[in-house]
Amino acid sequence: MAAWPAPERGLVVLCGSLGAPSAMWDAQLPALAGREVLRVDHPGHGGAPVEDVHDIGDLAARVLDAAGDRRFAFVGLSLGGAVGMRLALDAPDRLEKLVLACTATRFGEPAQWLERAATVRAHGLGVIVDAVLARWFTPAFENVDAYREHFLNIDPEGYARCCEALSRFDLREELGAISTPTLAIAATEDPTTPPGVVEGVADGIAGARFEVLADAAHLVNVERPDDFNRLLEEFL
């Protein structure tokens, strides 16, 4: 039988938000020094090719392919958190630990995601960028322009296909089957997945730890990197 690396020395996979490239994890790299880190971009994000995406299971399969035959700890935020929960259900033997940040078992009504996909296909990402950034960051965040550029560089078709995958995502009835050791992190000013939503995710996973970081919105790892990194180091 293969001897897997110890979790604290093994592979860590980072998977982020819809509309954000893997550069959103730059501030976490110092906290993961000494570990092998794999950052996975969603289709059409960060230069990744646009691929067929039917559901979140397809995105989870991409992570498994990227990791090869390795076991790994997984850190996912928002859409990345949805991917992490799907991995924990579909391939629990591959996961050492699971960090779920600013995520949910269901992201609103399917119609809103289908409408957003249609809007982006017809008009591009520029028509929604201001609304997205207002949910990602509090007014105090000073580096919004960099994330505006990141967002506008996403391939609209890749973004739209991920929206359609989110429209089909609903793990409310499956959440209790997750057995991977889990840390759930919320942000006090997050309008997309408020603390109560993330706490509900933690409550549905046996033994999960729940933490809330203040003065941050949806991209909590970007806005509060020091506190986010402290939680990562403690948990991993």
Side-chain angles (χ1 to χ4, degrees), residues 1 4 7 16 29 33 45 47 59-60 84 110-111 113 117 119 121 129 133 154 166 172 220 227-229 231 235:
M1 181 177 295
W4 299 109
L29 298 184
H45 292 55
L59 298 179
W113 293 108
T119 297
R121 285 193 174 106
V129 62
L133 292 173
I154 301 299
L166 280 169
R172 289 175 294 179
V220 63
D227 290 326
F228 190 92
N229 288 354
L231 293 175
F235 185 69

Side-chain angles (χ1 to χ4, degrees), residues 95-170:
L95 292 187
E96 296 280 5
K97 291 187 177 181
L98 178 62
V99 179
L100 302 173
C102 296
T103 195
T105 54
R106 183 174 185 261
F107 291 84
E109 294 298 325
Q112 73 183 32
W113 293 108
L114 298 176
E115 180 181 353
R116 189 186 296 195
T119 297
V120 167
R121 285 193 174 106
H123 305 292
L125 289 165
V127 298
I128 64 170
V129 62
D130 289 333
V132 169
L133 292 173
R135 302 177 78 82
W136 277 6
F137 302 113
T138 68
F141 184 68
E142 297 179 349
N143 200 26
V144 173
D145 287 346
Y147 281 86
R148 178 184 298 274
E149 183 176 353
H150 287 324
F151 185 81
L152 294 176
N153 283 332
I154 301 299
D155 186 289
E157 180 60 27
Y159 186 95
R161 293 183 188 187
C162 289
C163 288
E164 290 168 342
L166 280 169
S167 76
R168 303 180 180 100
F169 180 71
D170 187 347

Side-chain angles (χ1 to χ4, degrees), residues 2 4 8 10 18 23 29 54 88-89 101 149 156 159-160 182 204 233-234:
W4 299 109
E8 64 272 20
L18 173 67
L29 298 184
H54 176 73
L89 290 165
E149 183 176 353
Y159 186 95
T182 299
E233 290 176 316
E234 289 175 0

Side-chain angles (χ1 to χ4, degrees), residues 47-84:
V50 176
E51 301 176 20
D52 290 336
V53 178
H54 176 73
D55 56 25
I56 301 300
D58 291 335
L59 298 179
R62 293 176 71 253
V63 171
L64 294 177
D65 288 344
D69 61 358
R70 304 279 303 279
R71 290 189 78 197
F72 53 90
F74 184 90
V75 182
L77 185 145
S78 193
L79 173 57
V83 172

